[in-house]
Amino acid sequence: VKRRGRNGISRFVPQLRAAPASMLSLRGRMSRGLERDEFFTLFQPIASVRERRIVGAESLLRWRSSTGEMITPAVFIPAAEESGLIVPLSERMMTLAFAEAASWHREGRSLLMSVNLSARQLREPDICQRILAIAAEQGVSPGMVQLEITESVLMERVEQSERQLLQLKEMGFRIALDDFGTGYSSLAYLKNFPIDSIKIDGSFIRGLSRNVRDAAIVRTIINMSRDLGISTVAEGVETAAELESIAALGCDFYQGYLLARPIPGEQLAQLLD
Ligand code: C2E
Ligand code: CA
Ligand code: CA
Ligand code: CA
């Protein structure tokens, strides 16, 4: 089973601790990169399984450093979380993503913009007001925005996270549980948190057409979500066979290279009818 996200973080952090000098330089480069506007976001469309129609997109950060090198979020997000830079970095990302969402809205399209929220952000006491303020600045209503959180986000300071999420939910933001199935105690979170959507991790989708165990797990997640009134998104759909499989299981939405890679906003606009 290939894992990303949370697992990537736990693999990266010990390395950083072993090499504080390189972390310092990475942090320094990131903070300079922020000042110099080296970060930008790509958008990966999300479509309905039934009609194959694009219903929204996920904003994914990219860093083109001053040396011209493209640095992947798997490298800089864990370091940004460790150093606290994730907070300004994510505010920059949300500004760009919400500006894009506003441009969709001006063209009369009702698409959902998904952004990733890190554990560190939910620890900021005024995070709800700040996200709401960025949305307002860009002219986006909270109902057009989905906040993606992983289970590891919820595992830290459970009560505070729960309070913040409830507040975001009351403001009208939608909440998605990201990388579903790769963490722990997923079901308890479904019981206690106001989740609108579940994103089934790509590692389960990968084996779907060959592996009966993956199929059983995905089927169970989809059936349970339906009973709970939660929508499902299959992540990392790469082949037509995988799309067929999730369609047969009744999955609502999909995202992955089969539909499109993460692309610049202008390119996404061209994909919209
Ligand atoms: P994620 O939220 O699970 O995002 C999905 C990742 O899967 C993206 O990698 C995307 O490019 C990749 N992907 C999409 N479709 C396919 C596919 O069909 N096959 C395969 N093999 N991969 C696919 P990316 O863009 O490198 O982002 C990696 C992770 O970095 C994200 O995982 C997310 O956890 C984190 N990240 C990215 N942007 C942000 C951000 O703005 N804030 C925070 N907190 N985290 C971010
Ligand atoms: Ca992930
Ligand atoms: Ca995500
Ligand atoms: Ca994911």
Side-chain angles (χ1 to χ4, degrees):
V1 177
K2 199 181 109 207
R3 291 185 183 172
R4 295 185 305 265
R6 176 168 186 279
N7 209 40
I9 290 170
S10 54
R11 247 186 289 120
F12 195 70
V13 170
Q15 267 173 294
L16 286 178
R17 294 220 170 97
S22 77
M23 163 145 182
L24 263 182
S25 74
L26 181 57
R27 182 197 295 165
R29 285 165 65 205
M30 272 194 292
S31 114
R32 233 179 325 132
L34 248 177
E35 282 164 23
R36 296 179 183 174
D37 231 7
E38 292 172 359
F39 292 89
F40 60 101
T41 102
L42 295 179
F43 301 95
Q44 187 176 35
I46 299 171
S48 64
V49 169
R50 208 174 293 160
E51 299 166 317
R52 314 279 155 99
R53 195 171 44 86
I54 294 174
V55 296
E58 176 175 3
S59 164
L60 293 158
L61 264 171
R62 294 291 180 269
W63 179 13
R64 196 190 315 277
S65 81
S66 50
T67 58
E69 180 193 4
M70 273 281 271
I71 302 166
T72 142
V75 171
F76 68 78
I77 295 282
E81 288 187 350
E82 183 98 329
S83 64
L85 260 185
I86 189 70
V87 176
L89 182 58
S90 184
E91 294 196 353
R92 175 76 187 131
M93 180 276 292
M94 282 191 272
T95 302
L96 295 169
F98 295 172
E100 192 65 28
S103 80
W104 297 340
H105 203 58
R106 278 195 300 275
E107 287 165 20
R109 305 178 194 281
S110 67
L111 302 173
L112 199 62
M113 177 61 81
S114 269
V115 298
N116 294 287
L117 217 58
S118 80
R120 179 67 178 243
Q121 286 178 278
L122 273 188
R123 277 196 253 145
E124 297 291 301
D126 59 346
I127 188 68
C128 303
Q129 284 71 27
R130 281 156 80 170
I131 296 176
L132 190 65
I134 299 170
E137 265 164 37
Q138 300 303 321
V140 161
S141 69
M144 296 163 61
V145 175
Q146 175 160 273
L147 306 169
E148 299 191 2
I149 51 167
T150 59
E151 291 163 86
S152 53
V153 167
L154 299 177
M155 263 153 60
E156 283 181 39
R157 311 196 191 190
V158 177
E159 275 169 33
Q160 190 188 358
S161 307
E162 190 170 23
R163 231 181 310 114
Q164 305 261 49
L165 277 184
L166 281 171
Q167 200 181 337
L168 288 164
K169 180 78 187 154
E170 272 162 24
M171 289 171 168
F173 294 101
R174 294 174 54 92
I175 312 287
L177 209 43
D178 202 359
D179 300 346
F180 191 79
T182 61
Y184 307 95
S185 334
S186 321
L187 300 182
Y189 295 126
L190 289 181
K191 185 170 134 87
N192 297 322
F193 288 93
I195 306 297
D196 297 292
S197 183
I198 280 177
K199 300 191 76 172
I200 305 168
D201 194 69
S203 58
F204 296 105
I205 307 305
R206 198 86 331 109
L208 211 51
S209 40
R210 288 168 268 121
N211 186 328
V212 290
R213 299 171 74 94
D214 282 337
I217 292 167
V218 172
R219 183 182 308 114
T220 303
I221 294 172
I222 291 170
N223 290 342
M224 175 191 64
S225 302
R226 190 186 300 116
D227 288 347
L228 291 170
I230 295 171
S231 69
T232 45
V233 184
E235 290 194 292
V237 175
E238 292 181 354
T239 68
E242 287 164 1
L243 178 57
E244 253 171 61
S245 304
I246 59 153
L249 297 176
C251 187
D252 301 308
F253 304 102
Y254 74 107
Q255 178 179 0
Y257 295 166
L258 178 68
L259 179 64
R261 298 211 166 221
I263 48 179
E266 316 86 73
Q267 233 169 296
L268 175 63
Q270 287 170 9
L271 287 183
L272 305 168
D273 43 68

